[in-house]
Amino acid sequence: MLKATGIGIGATALTTPTALATPAGTPLVHPGLLHTRADLDRMAAKVKAGARPYAAGFAKLAANRHAQSGWQANPQAVVYRGAGTPENYSTLYNDIHAAYQNALRHHVSGEEAHADTAVAILNAWSGILTGLEGSADRFLAAGLYGYQFANAAELVRGHGDFDLGRARELLLNVFHPLSDDFLTRHNGAVVTNYWPNWDLTAIACALATGIFCDDRDIVERAVEYFKHGDGMGSVKHAIPVVHEDGLGEWVEAGRDQGHALLGVGLMGTVCEMAWNQGIDLYGYDDSRFLKGAQYVAKWSLGGDVPYTANTRKKGAIGGWSGRETASGVAGVDPGMTRPVWAMIANHYTKRRGLPASYVTRAAAKAAPEGGGGDYGPNSGGFDQLGFGTLAFSRERGVGAAPSAGPSREGEGSGGVRAQASAGPAAAGDDLAATGSGDGVGWATAAGVSAVAGGLLMLRRRGRGRAE
């Protein structure tokens, strides 16, 4: 049909709608965060058949100590993260990952003991946790562990023993308020004080909360911030420049490799959760996220990438202020890895039929992806739920746009011109300083680059529970 009408598949001048059509009042889809019913059924069928790479991905899950039935939760009334506090947040992220891994293992294997274990962990925490405290790091705790708790809970929301109402209350009263406040006030700092990851954790928590709690207003606010928010984490601020070769400059590459890869993983998580509710953030602004992911992947694999000096304002409103300039990309360790690539590679190349050579190479290098507990004991190894090789591998979708044919490495997307920085204007105590001392924990890896645009063949995702 496209050939008959003469539409050029490889052109990027075509505008892709941000949201797939969802009539007002349409119920949100469940399960519908990182995994839909169709996704879970696909995993189970492929693993049962011994299909690659699903079998290797499931073996990675089954071997993780967090994925064992009988894991005992250690809930705390107050969780602290940050300097000057009695930090205990590792208990929370270890338990959430145990809940998620057991829930996922149940859906693949059918073993009820794993579902029971996940429910016991989540109920224990929803019955005790009342607050998140600490330094500015409390906002990271709210964002990261809020979106992860919601995803684990989503997988067992139909279990007879799961306390759905209490889980909703925990998300709405403990996790989401901090994330919403951060996106609104940024801890009393100037809006550019915090690097993109801070916003992205909050967006992920808000979006996951809105979906899990069937609150479309929260969902819409999260989506709007992703597209047009004032902070560094909105997509055009996190990726302020698109170069002529099609690479989207990831501003946090001027900071360090670990945080840049964390950001890619968080943005991919936001895009995937939105997609499963019929909202296409993956394709927003001519697939800007793909261009940024390609940039980070190529750089992390040891390739050369351009970087435009970025100066941002720092400090508190009405208080100390200063400026910080990132003038070039940080050094990388091509051996670092985190489970962030399979989801992104499979969306763009399988669902959409777009070339993503660097992302694909990074996903292959990281496979089979593990999860929390497979990447060291520090918090950075628990920032993504992981297991993407199992969860996101897929055949090329019926609705994927055919590619425009072979493209050269680094070739741009339809001749897109470099854009001026869209990042916030750059300007005492560093309110964004973390207190965990988790240098190693933040390190993560993978790489990929050239982005090509294309026509997105949209189809409704997650039409209902029947899927």
Side-chain angles (χ1 to χ4, degrees), residues 6-70:
I7 296 177
I9 301 297
T12 55
L14 298 174
T15 301
T16 298
T18 299
L20 297 104
T22 51
T26 301
L28 295 173
V29 177
H30 299 291
L33 288 175
L34 284 175
H35 315 299
T36 64
R37 171 53 55 195
D39 293 332
L40 296 169
D41 290 345
R42 181 184 67 251
M43 293 179 228
K46 293 290 188 180
V47 170
K48 183 178 181 180
R52 295 184 298 175
Y54 303 91
F58 182 70
K60 191 78 172 178
L61 170 64
N64 193 301
R65 73 182 185 90
H66 294 75
Q68 310 310 310
S69 62

Side-chain angles (χ1 to χ4, degrees), residues 236-263:
K236 291 184 181 179
H237 293 164
I239 310 169
V241 179
V242 175
H243 295 280
E244 289 188 355
D245 63 359
L247 296 181
E249 186 174 301
W250 196 272
V251 68
E252 206 147 358
R255 182 184 184 188
D256 62 56
Q257 183 186 12
H259 285 93
L261 291 167
L262 168 61

Side-chain angles (χ1 to χ4, degrees), residues 37-335:
R37 171 53 55 195
D39 293 332
L40 296 169
D41 290 345
R42 181 184 67 251
M43 293 179 228
K46 293 290 188 180
V47 170
K48 183 178 181 180
R52 295 184 298 175
Y54 303 91
F58 182 70
K60 191 78 172 178
L61 170 64
N64 193 301
R65 73 182 185 90
H66 294 75
Q68 310 310 310
S69 62
W71 177 282
Q72 296 296 310
N74 183 24
Q76 308 290 312
V78 179
V79 166
Y80 298 90
R81 177 168 176 167
T85 63
E87 290 189 311
N88 62 352
Y89 67 102
S90 66
T91 60
L92 176 57
Y93 66 66
N94 274 284
D95 279 356
I96 289 177
H97 280 257
Y100 172 78
Q101 291 179 29
N102 271 279
L104 187 62
R105 187 170 178 180
H106 157 70
H107 280 286
V108 177
S109 70
E111 297 173 88
E112 291 296 332
H114 294 292
D116 294 343
T117 296
V119 167
I121 295 168
L122 297 168
N123 284 348
W125 277 94
S126 67
I128 292 180
L129 182 61
T130 60
L132 301 170
E133 297 183 11
S135 66
D137 283 18
R138 69 190 184 279
F139 294 108
L140 295 176
L144 290 167
Y145 313 136
Y147 95 76
Q148 292 173 0
F149 183 94
N151 270 277
E154 182 79 347
L155 293 178
V156 295
R157 67 183 297 137
H159 192 287
D161 294 331
F162 178 58
D163 197 326
L164 177 61
R166 217 164 62 192
R168 283 175 167 160
E169 291 176 4
L170 182 62
L171 286 164
L172 290 170
N173 298 333
V174 176
F175 290 108
H176 177 257
L178 278 172
S179 291
D180 184 67
D181 184 71
F182 185 83
L183 294 175
T184 303
R185 300 179 180 83
H186 287 89
N187 196 30
V190 295
V191 72
T192 54
N193 185 77
Y194 292 89
W195 286 99
N197 289 329
W198 292 79
D199 273 356
L200 287 168
T201 63
I203 295 170
C205 177
L207 182 60
T209 297
I211 294 170
F212 183 83
C213 298
D214 294 295
D215 191 322
R216 194 171 286 277
D217 287 341
I218 295 178
V219 171
E220 290 175 355
R221 289 201 302 273
V223 169
E224 177 63 17
Y225 196 97
F226 175 93
K227 295 189 290 186
H228 303 299
D230 292 333
M232 298 282 283
S234 59
V235 66
K236 291 184 181 179
H237 293 164
I239 310 169
V241 179
V242 175
H243 295 280
E244 289 188 355
D245 63 359
L247 296 181
E249 186 174 301
W250 196 272
V251 68
E252 206 147 358
R255 182 184 184 188
D256 62 56
Q257 183 186 12
H259 285 93
L261 291 167
L262 168 61
V264 169
L266 289 169
M267 191 171 285
T269 293
V270 169
C271 289
E272 184 70 15
M273 293 190 298
W275 177 270
N276 287 333
Q277 296 299 328
I279 304 167
D280 183 22
L281 298 182
Y282 276 119
Y284 178 69
D285 194 26
D286 195 22
S287 298
R288 195 179 191 95
F289 172 53
L290 172 57
K291 298 170 185 179
Q294 289 273 69
Y295 176 99
V296 174
K298 180 182 180 182
W299 165 62
S300 292
L301 288 170
D304 293 329
V305 292
Y307 191 86
T308 306
N310 181 283
T311 299
R312 62 193 183 95
K313 292 180 181 178
K314 298 185 66 178
I317 296 174
W320 181 91
S321 63
R323 293 176 180 268
E324 181 177 77
T325 298
S327 56
V329 292
V332 298
D333 174 4

